[in-house]
Amino acid sequence: MTAAVLDSWVITQRALAHWGRQPGRLAFGLAFNVMIMLMFAFLLGGAMKVPGGGDYREFLMPGVFVMTMLFGIGETVTSVTTDADRGVMDRFRSMPMAGSAMVAGRAMADMLYSAVGLIVMVVCGLLIGWRWHGGFAAALGAFGLLLLLRFALVWIGIYLGLIFRSQQALMAVQTLEFPLGFLSSAFVAPATMPAWLAAVAEWNPLSSTATAARTLFGNPGAATDSWITSYAVPMAISWPVVLVAIFFPLSVLAYRRLSR
């Protein structure tokens, strides 16, 4: 067990070293998230209404945090497919190291990057007037749920990268990120949608995390009459746990089958 943890940490350090040599790639990813936030806050936000009243920017920021976690899938898939294409994973497989170390190290590195990205977006949110009102402990709980969602999405990204092992996987993921994000409560309250579409949006796992974050931050737009929204916090825990239970073993299995 200790050897597996150490092997995973070596892979994490390798990823961090690569990012240190390619700061532009990380800066672009962070700048993209900031651009999305500014576009909705200042360009489109004037036309947005929050059911029950409240400032749209405060409604927006928990959704932006969720989208920041979602957009991280592209970084995960890019890193995994690049290593697979260059034969890096085959070389690691030939070494005396734990079979799960490569994927676990990748997950650890991406979680560190996501934590940095979340901090950047929190600072940007504070600069445009967003605040949390539910107390510091509740805010920490909201940040924890956001990172839990990202942890689940990391394993989805690793699995997709290992299965497709080409840039086609990245293109497919980036194509699906926006529809998946927009078909949620990240930017628009489901109450403003047609009933059938609102039901789909509310059952989107991203919506559970966004609504739970709004609840814990004390931001507007969290309260609705639907069952899943009323239990947003438990669902924001349950969805990621289920996704990890599915995609973690699938990722390890796909990694072990790479050379077959």
Side-chain angles (χ1 to χ4, degrees), residues 138-192:
L140 285 180
F143 293 133
L145 290 178
L146 290 163
L147 291 174
L148 178 62
L149 173 67
R150 177 65 183 116
F151 185 66
L153 296 175
V154 162
W155 292 109
I156 295 176
I158 290 175
Y159 178 69
L160 293 176
L162 290 172
I163 290 297
F164 293 104
R165 285 182 277 174
S166 69
Q167 290 304 307
Q168 293 178 349
L170 176 60
M171 294 175 60
V173 167
Q174 291 177 333
T175 300
L176 293 174
E177 281 176 348
F178 278 99
L180 182 62
F182 283 124
L183 192 56
S184 72
S185 64
F187 298 120
V188 180
T192 64

Side-chain angles (χ1 to χ4, degrees), residues 26-27 42 54 56 103 114-115 117 129 135 145-146 149 165 173 175 179 212 215 217-218 222 225 228 235 238 253 259:
L26 299 185
F42 295 102
Y56 177 70
V103 290
S114 298
L145 290 178
L146 290 163
L149 173 67
R165 285 182 277 174
V173 167
T175 300
T215 299
F217 286 138
D225 296 329
I228 191 167
M235 292 304 298
S238 301
L253 182 61
S259 61

Side-chain angles (χ1 to χ4, degrees), residues 74-169:
E75 172 64 30
T76 302
V77 174
T78 299
S79 300
V80 173
T81 55
T82 298
D83 284 346
D85 287 342
R86 294 178 178 176
V88 174
M89 290 189 177
D90 290 334
R91 290 196 291 272
F92 277 120
R93 280 174 51 82
S94 67
M95 296 179 181
M97 61 187 299
S100 61
M102 186 68 188
V103 290
R106 178 77 262 159
M108 290 168 62
D110 284 357
M111 288 303 298
L112 290 174
Y113 173 66
S114 298
V116 172
L118 183 57
I119 291 171
V120 170
M121 296 311 299
V122 168
V123 172
C124 290
L126 293 172
L127 290 176
I128 68 169
W130 169 77
R131 297 290 185 273
W132 67 71
H133 309 284
F136 187 68
L140 285 180
F143 293 133
L145 290 178
L146 290 163
L147 291 174
L148 178 62
L149 173 67
R150 177 65 183 116
F151 185 66
L153 296 175
V154 162
W155 292 109
I156 295 176
I158 290 175
Y159 178 69
L160 293 176
L162 290 172
I163 290 297
F164 293 104
R165 285 182 277 174
S166 69
Q167 290 304 307
Q168 293 178 349

Side-chain angles (χ1 to χ4, degrees), residues 144-145 147-153 155-156 205 208-209 233-249:
L145 290 178
L147 291 174
L148 178 62
L149 173 67
R150 177 65 183 116
F151 185 66
L153 296 175
W155 292 109
I156 295 176
S208 292
T209 300
V233 173
M235 292 304 298
I237 298 172
S238 301
W239 280 122
V241 169
V242 170
L243 292 174
V244 171
I246 294 172
F247 286 96
F248 172 72

